[in-house]
Amino acid sequence: MPDASLVLGIETSCDETGVALARIHDDRTELLVDAVASSVDEHARFGGIIPEIASRAHLEAMVPTIQRALGEADVDLGQVGAVAVTAGPGLVGPLTVGAAAAKALAVGLGVPLHGVNHVIGHAAVDEMVHGLFPERVMALVVSGGHSSLLLVDDVATDVTELGHTLDDAAGEAFDKVGRLLGLPYPGGPHIDRLAREGDPGAIRFPRGLTAAKDQARHADDFSFSGLKTAVARWVEARQDAGQEIPLHDVAASFAAAVADVLTAKTIAACRRHEVDTLVIGGGFSANSQLRELATRRCAEAGITVRIPPIRYCTDNGAMIAALGAAVVRRGLPASPLDLAVDSSMPLTQVTV
Amino acid sequence: MSAVHEVELPDAASARAWGRSLATVLAAGDLVVLTGPLGAGKTTLTQGIGEGLEVRGQVASPTFVIARVHPSQVGGPALVHVDAYRLGSLEELDALDLDTSLEDSVTVVEWGEGLAEVLAEDRLELVIDRPHGGAGLSEEDLATADAGTRRVRVRAVGPRWADVELPTGG
């Protein structure tokens, strides 16, 4: 018999096949299991994701990952009460594989299907880690593909996108600077590692969209393109002069600029909207300078900062099970079985 | 058959404005190939094209996802924005599973030089130069590293572009 409190979450927006089970309690959402299969090793030689490889990998991993999740949680498929799946944004092929699996399960089990927003899932996953959200939270979602600031009045029904990156996502800027410095893909973790041994104050790289003139239109937006160009030209100038590139200091100074802008703008937005809880999610929240600076500045500003452990910041099924649970908890209607995935799904749209 | 056209774009705003003007001569099925180093302004120019085509969503770097589709908000062609840096050939665009066909879209390909020839006989090839190096250690130098004139060399290839007048610089 299906148990209405048991939600299966499926995530396939990029290169991780994630399947998780959540149980809805009155006062919390409990994560029963979170199984992930990654095709990142298959992409590394290309220096990034190749959508078709990712689609095939999802197809191969889907059934085994569902079986592994059910086995580890000791749950029968027939007990699942609702199926939640990423409807977008993401890569259309991978999204389609996940949606097809979710539709088949929902039809086969005779339970509701809920298509949900991947980016909002990055915030919602923290409800399983640090408890259900208070009435209003700010969410900073930063990853290889996204850098967005969301005002979350209700994680299932009322999300406002305050701002986003106008050019490169934070993680993308790290990968491009990594490319520039000759580091392997993905560059983010390599820069993070180099940065820990460098001087973050060595080079004063620019902070995008922080000038007074940008406050009217872009107070909550980010831009990392100018920073990237500044690093490129600084490195070119050293190379032209035949000098060695101080990798540790470049990495530390670059990472400091990114963390500074992300935290300063987010905290300013919290103040402006009188929000005292900040959630940081997405793969880039693994970045150590961002974690340290956000923790310190939020403490100074009297803001409670909630950052899930790194394994819940990268793409996973738990984030979709968490958001699905929030949708089921509120008794929202199911998505149509012919729901279409949306590679550029707007961040104000939580469900389809 | 090709003609070469040069424009100078003194800042990001003029690059966007020129992109908007370029959009007025673009139609479904057209291909634009952008070449230039990191920070040349390929995405900035594409933002202008996106504004001109009135497409949905923030036109941002497609590097991570390789290609992003922006549907039209006015019943016109979608904008397909591609970063070909990691693609061996543009024939692999087929492998991207885009949710639109290139015949119905305006396709802008960054890092597409040397790859685009197989895709379309008619195309606009844009090569963008930015100032190289020269950024000193001073804060002012680094703060303005992204500024500076971009010189765009446009090569219009194929009969599609034979009688089309391209916009001049801002």
Side-chain angles (χ1 to χ4, degrees):
Chain A
M1 275 295 286
D3 172 350
S5 72
L6 203 53
V7 180
L8 181 77
I10 296 176
E11 150 65 28
T12 60
S13 68
C14 193
D15 60 343
E16 322 270 5
T17 313
V19 177
L21 277 164
R23 182 173 305 280
I24 303 168
H25 300 276
D26 286 346
D27 58 345
R28 68 197 170 99
T29 298
E30 179 191 6
L31 178 63
L32 300 183
V33 67
D34 178 37
V36 176
S38 174
S39 62
V40 69
D41 292 346
E42 296 165 48
H43 299 287
R45 65 197 172 96
F46 295 102
I49 313 296
I50 302 294
E52 195 179 56
I53 293 176
S55 300
R56 285 193 202 132
H58 284 303
L59 208 52
E60 286 166 15
M62 183 57 68
V63 172
T65 311
I66 292 172
Q67 282 169 337
R68 181 152 60 89
L70 292 168
E72 283 174 24
D74 197 19
V75 165
D76 278 342
L77 190 55
Q79 291 172 269
V80 169
V83 179
V85 66
T86 307
L91 303 171
V92 70
L95 286 170
T96 304
V97 175
K103 288 173 185 178
L105 284 170
V107 171
L109 298 171
V111 300
L113 171 73
H114 296 283
V116 300
N117 189 304
H118 171 84
V119 174
I120 298 167
H122 272 307
V125 71
D126 192 60
E127 288 205 318
M128 292 188 189
V129 179
H130 294 108
L132 300 181
F133 288 163
E135 200 166 310
R136 177 175 251 208
V137 301
M138 190 68 71
L140 173 66
V141 178
V142 273
S143 67
H146 301 279
S147 298
S148 293
L149 196 54
L150 306 173
L151 182 60
V152 180
D153 282 296
D154 183 310
V155 75
T157 61
D158 191 357
V159 176
T160 310
E161 185 182 21
L162 297 177
H164 50 229
T165 181
L166 301 183
D167 35 63
D168 296 335
E172 197 169 48
F174 265 66
D175 290 342
K176 284 181 180 172
V177 168
R179 192 192 283 176
L180 200 73
L181 298 178
L183 303 172
Y185 173 87
H190 295 283
I191 291 179
D192 200 0
R193 182 175 44 78
L194 289 170
R196 273 180 237 151
E197 290 162 41
D199 172 8
I203 310 157
R204 176 74 191 178
F205 286 127
R207 272 66 172 158
L209 298 180
T210 54
K213 68 179 168 59
D214 297 316
Q215 288 312 300
R217 276 188 64 205
H218 295 302
D220 297 327
D221 289 325
F222 304 107
S223 168
F224 300 109
S225 179
L227 169 61
K228 173 191 71 188
T229 312
V231 176
R233 293 189 63 187
W234 193 90
V235 168
E236 285 165 7
R238 290 296 162 289
Q239 284 167 339
D240 292 351
Q243 294 167 338
E244 210 167 303
I245 309 298
L247 286 180
H248 294 96
D249 285 350
V250 173
S253 301
F254 163 71
V258 173
D260 182 18
V261 171
L262 286 173
T263 52
K265 282 184 167 255
T266 302
I267 290 171
C270 287
R271 287 216 175 96
R272 207 171 326 113
H273 294 275
E274 299 179 354
V275 182
D276 59 10
T277 304
L278 168 66
V279 178
I280 304 181
F284 188 71
S285 57
N287 178 261
S288 40
Q289 286 205 34
L290 174 63
R291 282 186 175 241
E292 282 161 28
L293 199 58
T295 306
R296 179 156 55 80
R297 285 184 171 172
C298 282
E300 287 164 6
I303 294 166
T304 305
V305 62
R306 300 167 43 150
I307 313 178
I310 289 167
R311 64 166 304 194
Y312 300 124
C313 290
T314 51
D315 293 348
N316 56 65
M319 54 193 274
I320 302 307
L323 187 49
V327 169
V328 172
R329 179 188 293 283
R330 287 160 181 76
L332 299 179
S335 302
L337 282 171
D338 63 349
L339 82 84
V341 297
D342 184 352
S343 61
S344 59
M345 188 170 177
L347 301 193
T348 44
Q349 189 187 351
V350 185
T351 54
V352 292
Chain B
M1 181 183 333
S2 70
V4 177
H5 177 82
E6 273 200 27
V7 287
E8 278 196 9
L9 307 170
D11 54 27
S14 63
R16 257 185 223 102
W18 189 73
R20 281 196 298 274
S21 308
L22 186 62
T24 62
V25 299
L26 292 172
D30 284 347
L31 172 68
V32 179
V33 181
L34 301 181
T35 303
L38 274 179
K42 300 181 290 297
T43 298
T44 305
L45 192 58
T46 311
Q47 287 174 342
I49 295 173
E51 287 170 19
L53 293 174
E54 298 187 60
V55 295
R56 188 183 83 179
Q58 174 71 37
V59 176
S61 166
T63 298
F64 185 69
V65 295
I66 299 186
R68 201 180 278 117
V69 177
H70 297 275
S72 172
Q73 295 176 311
V74 292
L79 171 66
V80 177
H81 187 194
V82 181
D83 183 330
Y85 191 87
R86 297 188 262 115
L87 298 179
S89 82
L90 280 184
E91 281 168 326
E92 290 180 28
L93 268 181
D94 283 340
L96 298 182
D97 298 326
L98 300 176
D99 48 2
T100 181
S101 74
L102 302 186
E103 294 77 45
D104 299 329
S105 315
V106 169
T107 304
V108 176
V109 182
E110 302 192 7
W111 302 99
E113 191 180 36
L115 302 174
E117 291 71 14
V118 299
L119 201 67
E121 190 187 329
D122 299 303
R123 58 191 180 270
L124 291 180
E125 298 178 356
L126 276 57
V127 179
I128 312 174
D129 282 327
R130 67 160 162 80
H132 174 92
L137 255 179
S138 84
E139 200 171 314
E140 297 76 52
D141 256 20
L142 289 166
T144 56
D146 203 28
T149 295
R150 267 54 170 179
R151 191 166 281 113
V152 185
R153 218 170 56 247
V154 187
R155 199 167 149 252
V157 183
R160 156 74 177 94
W161 298 106
D163 297 314
V164 178
E165 196 164 320
L166 295 169
T168 53

